[in-house]
Amino acid sequence: MSDLTTRAILEHNFLFQGLPAATITAICDMAHRRQFGKESVLFSQGDECDGLYGVASGQLRIYTSDSDGHEMSLNVIGPGETVGEISLIDGLPRSASAVTAGPSKLVHIARRRFLAYLEHDAALALHVMQLLCDRLRWVSSLIEESAFLSGPERLANRLASLAERYGRPLPGGETELLISQLELGQFLGVSRQIVNRHLGQLCGEGRIRTQRGRIVVRDLDALRSGTEQVNSPAEYA
């Protein structure tokens, strides 16, 4: 698959989707392309914001960590997705860290140049406000998920979202997701042992089947059965 253009990345993103062509072109002119190797730290939680990043090729893992070094994965983003909208707008330190999951080519838009343009484009300012409202709704849905869903259903909900975004379709309507139990535990903030137990329950119910480093979702709708879907956005930090 060839690298995505800067325009394709921006037009895919909620913040820029639907904006006039002239506005997209102006923002594209601000962008610079950068290349990173595997396990390159793009930025760390608490760093000063230098702008927004879009993925032209490769993947980024977004995560948070505590003072003891324990990590919790928030999301994995791929081509066409972006990271850094929150700090791009408010200028506060990064709320999460980002590391490349493999060799990646990224597009960078500097915060200073973006804000200078934002001051003179009302349509873009409205899009920014819509994004902030979307983030607030998403945080509320995460709180609901933690409060009302059981451990297995929280796992089922996250598996369904990941499979829908990054899974490989298989014959018979199944979807293959390449992810380890440790990575799933980081997403949910629980141990690998707890993930293993919950996976066993979902297997017993016939909603998934597992192999080493591989989970096959038998039916996405069935996996979500009994849960309220939480759509995790690509934008963080």
Side-chain angles (χ1 to χ4, degrees), residues 35-49:
Q35 188 164 346
F36 296 84
K38 182 180 180 180
E39 299 297 326
S40 295
V41 176
L42 195 60
F43 51 78
S44 297
Q45 188 174 349
D47 283 354
E48 181 180 350
C49 173

Side-chain angles (χ1 to χ4, degrees), residues 2-173:
S2 59
D3 300 343
L4 292 179
T5 65
T6 301
R7 179 175 290 274
I9 294 170
L10 296 182
E11 290 177 343
H12 179 268
N13 181 265
F14 172 79
L15 181 58
F16 307 109
Q17 212 170 47
L19 288 171
T23 301
I24 296 292
T25 298
I27 299 172
C28 285
D29 290 342
M30 306 176 196
H32 297 279
R33 297 176 81 88
R34 299 181 181 180
Q35 188 164 346
F36 296 84
K38 182 180 180 180
E39 299 297 326
S40 295
V41 176
L42 195 60
F43 51 78
S44 297
Q45 188 174 349
D47 283 354
E48 181 180 350
C49 173
D50 63 341
L52 176 141
Y53 289 88
V55 182
S57 66
Q59 286 186 332
L60 298 179
R61 182 172 69 90
I62 313 301
Y63 66 95
T64 59
S65 56
D66 61 19
S67 57
D68 295 324
H70 300 121
E71 294 183 1
M72 178 175 178
S73 294
L74 299 176
N75 206 1
V76 176
I77 69 171
E81 298 180 302
T82 54
V83 61
E85 279 88 342
I86 295 175
S87 292
L88 177 73
I89 297 165
D90 67 15
L92 295 176
R94 299 285 189 182
S95 59
S97 302
V99 62
T100 56
S104 303
K105 293 181 181 179
L106 309 177
V107 170
H108 177 251
I109 298 173
R111 180 173 185 267
R112 171 181 52 82
R113 297 191 65 186
F114 178 79
L115 290 184
Y117 186 80
L118 181 65
E119 291 179 0
H120 304 286
D121 193 309
L124 181 56
L126 179 59
H127 269 252
V128 169
M129 289 188 287
Q130 290 172 333
L131 175 69
L132 295 177
C133 291
D134 183 62
R135 296 291 77 80
L136 181 59
R137 291 177 184 275
W138 175 70
V139 170
S140 296
S141 67
L142 282 184
I143 294 172
E144 279 189 33
E145 181 187 75
S146 297
F148 299 116
L149 295 185
S150 67
E153 296 305 341
R154 285 183 61 210
L155 176 59
N157 200 52
R158 184 51 59 95
L159 279 175
S161 295
L162 290 171
E164 191 170 51
R165 293 164 67 89
Y166 304 111
R168 183 174 69 91
L170 298 176

